[in-house]
Amino acid sequence: MEAPLSFLFYKKLREYRDIRFTILTAPYRRERGNMTKQKFSRDIQEKVAVRLGAEYEVRLQTVQKNNGVQLQGMVILNKLQNVSPTIYLDDFYEAYCNGYLIERIVEEILRIYREDTPKENVDMSFFLDFESVKERICYRLIDERQNRELLEKIPHIKYLDLAICFYYSYQSEQLGNGSILIYHTHLAMWGVTEQELLRLAHENTPRLFPWQCNSMENVLDELVGDCYLSQEEKTAFFRDVPMNVLTNSAKTFGASCILYPGVLEQVALELQSGFYILPSSVHEVILLCDGCGESEPELKNMIKEVNRTQLEAVDVLSYSLYYYSLIKKQIEIL
């Protein structure tokens, strides 16, 4: 999974990608008429089913994601397999509207299915046994208000205006790396409590996904090099606006690093300052030291603007501005 960029530079990279996509698809552009996403999905389903034949079943299903986002997924099944990847059609629909031929989309879906589907059946019985999964139970942060419907189905702990929820982080030769969200039904099956999940996640998440805090300048160098700013411009900019990006080693669900025991206190001691916490995304947060020159209203407006215009809805963490006090050693909502 590609982690979102630090949000101050996300816009520029999005612009670059949009321009590049326009150039690449220009030869294929034509008027699409009134093709809705639902009709597109049904057409793709029928074409994939015809290509694969009667031994396969092709299903469409709506998948609930973070912040109430619903994606259209396709699952391809046959009698010899017990696991199949969910192939999301939303990006394919956007590509179709921007000029990709439907035949090319069908070919790409079939390629993904063949490459990502395990060659052998996967034994998932281990997930029934809590002793087999407890060493890889982790947590992540999501917005409480935007996920009320989801939170009714999953164990969680309220934290500020956020919610700590839990997942099983798997590593498999057959499935690769991924996560399984933990539901109330899992707790009932295992006979454990939310507090037990929290205790395990406090131990497991920092161990499996160590935190890292880098200057924005270093993060920008790693992500986009000198595409947009010269070294002199970057040095001057970040000297005046000292920002750091806090995330984890996987750069996935890295905003949860603010929960790691002792991390924020250690960062504050190294910076010799309290700091604002800007919720860049569910994958990272930006730390902005006291005396940055930006007012709290300006920072709040920045968060709102970036969330609404530069992030995918599923990646938005919060619209709030937070502050970590070196004296109080705690986070508060501003």
Side-chain angles (χ1 to χ4, degrees), residues 85 102 129 156 173 212 230 232 247 254 270 274 307 319 329:
I102 202 163
D129 178 21
H156 63 278
E173 291 184 3
Q212 51 186 235
S230 69
E232 293 76 15
T247 185
E270 291 177 356
N307 281 349
Y319 282 84
K329 298 181 180 180

Side-chain angles (χ1 to χ4, degrees), residues 124-133 186 189-190:
M124 297 295 293
S125 61
F126 75 93
F127 206 68
L128 302 175
D129 178 21
F130 187 65
E131 291 298 315
S132 299
V133 302
H186 296 129
M189 177 177 66
W190 294 331

